Amino acid sequence: MPAVFLHSSFAYLMKRFNPQFSLPALLVGSMMPDVEILAIYYLTNGAIDRLLFHSIIGAMTIGTITSVVIVVFIYPSFVSLFFRIDKNYIKKKCSCSWALIGLCLIGNISHVFIDATHHTFNPLLYPILDQSIDLFRISSNRIFDTGIITVILSVIYFVYAAISLRERKGFWKQMLVG
């Protein structure tokens, strides 16, 4: 499984595609599904580590709502405090709107589909079906699949980071707010 932060690669790609997009919404949404991992793993005694937030329905509903709440109410204070970026500037990028909600949704769905390319258990239709949907798996070799996805996401991530460093507009501001 790629590191959680590598899911942000899709957010950076989307931000490059359209600079008007809210990077905080895409970032939080793209990592939100992994919030459930520890709880599900604990509740099932390690039998399952991904479920509702890793399903299309869960990502579109609870994952998106949770992402919006975090982006609007928590993200500006957190990023401002730890990365010393002007809180008012961040709040402007995190104000609630239909666009922000849509970008949180896109981030959540991107995570689900990235995971569906390489995980052995893909609860894409949970709670309707509790079985794995492996339609998007690259191959039947989880290690190979994970390697391919990790390389692709790493390249996207490091190219965006390199561009952000080169632009000299404040690295953390570019990486966390856009």
Side-chain angles (χ1 to χ4, degrees), residues 113-153:
F113 283 110
I114 287 169
D115 277 5
T117 62
H118 67 280
H119 278 287
T120 53
F121 178 67
N122 297 298
L124 297 180
L125 297 178
Y126 185 84
I128 296 168
L129 294 173
D130 61 355
Q131 61 198 77
S132 183
I133 309 292
D134 297 329
L135 177 68
F136 301 104
R137 289 283 307 273
I138 296 168
S139 74
S140 59
N141 184 330
R142 182 183 187 276
I143 294 169
F144 173 78
D145 296 350
T146 299
I148 294 287
I149 295 303
T150 300
V151 167
I152 292 169
L153 295 179

Side-chain angles (χ1 to χ4, degrees), residues 13-149:
L13 200 58
M14 291 293 295
K15 180 68 174 170
R16 280 290 169 192
F17 172 72
N18 187 338
Q20 299 302 312
F21 285 168
S22 168
L23 185 58
L26 288 165
L27 288 173
V28 172
S30 70
M31 291 186 256
M32 182 53 58
D34 281 344
V35 166
E36 79 173 343
I37 289 177
L38 289 176
I40 296 295
Y41 189 83
Y42 175 76
L43 291 172
T44 64
N45 290 324
I48 299 172
D49 64 350
R50 300 159 51 255
L51 203 56
L52 184 60
F53 280 33
H54 283 86
S55 73
I56 296 168
I57 294 169
M60 291 177 68
T61 56
I62 298 169
T64 298
I65 292 167
T66 306
S67 298
V68 170
V69 168
I70 289 171
V71 170
V72 173
F73 297 108
I74 298 170
Y75 194 88
S77 297
F78 179 84
V79 171
S80 176
L81 177 67
F82 289 101
F83 297 95
R84 301 182 189 267
I85 301 169
D86 179 44
K87 189 175 181 178
N88 290 324
Y89 176 77
I90 302 167
K91 280 185 174 183
K92 286 179 189 174
K93 301 287 185 173
C94 296
S95 61
C96 194
S97 66
W98 287 111
L100 183 125
I101 294 167
L103 292 169
C104 284
L105 171 77
I106 289 169
N108 273 270
I109 293 296
S110 74
H111 183 112
V112 170
F113 283 110
I114 287 169
D115 277 5
T117 62
H118 67 280
H119 278 287
T120 53
F121 178 67
N122 297 298
L124 297 180
L125 297 178
Y126 185 84
I128 296 168
L129 294 173
D130 61 355
Q131 61 198 77
S132 183
I133 309 292
D134 297 329
L135 177 68
F136 301 104
R137 289 283 307 273
I138 296 168
S139 74
S140 59
N141 184 330
R142 182 183 187 276
I143 294 169
F144 173 78
D145 296 350
T146 299
I148 294 287
I149 295 303

